[in-house]
Amino acid sequence: MSTDRNATTPQQANEFAITDSAAVISGLTGANQVPAVNLYKNAQAKSGMVVQVDVTYNGKRGNGGKYDVHIMLDVDVPPPGSTQEPHIGWEVKLNGQRVGNGHDWVPADVFKVGRPAPGTPLETYPIAPEEKKFEGNGEVVAAGSFRRYKS
């Protein structure tokens, strides 16, 4: 699944990214409750400088089968001359394979900062792990981090 949508605010772009990434996971697992990765919430908590959130869900089905779901949301502010517009991007991987991605475009100058060039140091903050057990011996452990651009 791939989606590209226009949003009027960063909050709306974040909601689109959450909804779309959750739909991908729901479609893969049949889960009707999918933990959300909230980039904008973390960004507000750290003065709007958060540029990427990564969360990995390590799960075990009731039948013993294991899986890993990785969700990434990021803020991209392309450099001058780029054909892309500013956006929140998202990606979902199941066992290392990309199974969904998208871009939620926002008006120019909405974001003050986006992900820097590769190799630029970012401050990384862990997200407290969460564990949930299900009927039939299923379980999932979620752990991740958010990255803040140190300007």
Side-chain angles (χ1 to χ4, degrees), residues 17-32:
I18 289 170
T19 301
D20 293 341
S21 60
V24 169
I25 295 167
S26 228
L28 293 170
T29 65
N32 59 4

Side-chain angles (χ1 to χ4, degrees), residues 2-6 16 20 87-88 90 101-105:
S2 179
T3 62
D4 288 325
R5 297 201 263 187
N6 292 320
F16 286 165
D20 293 341
H87 62 275
I88 290 181
W90 62 273
N101 69 303
H103 304 88
D104 297 304
W105 312 105

Side-chain angles (χ1 to χ4, degrees), residues 8 13 27 29 43-44 68 86-87 123 127 145:
T8 56
T29 65
Q44 286 181 317
D68 296 310
H87 62 275
E123 295 176 338
I127 296 171
S145 64

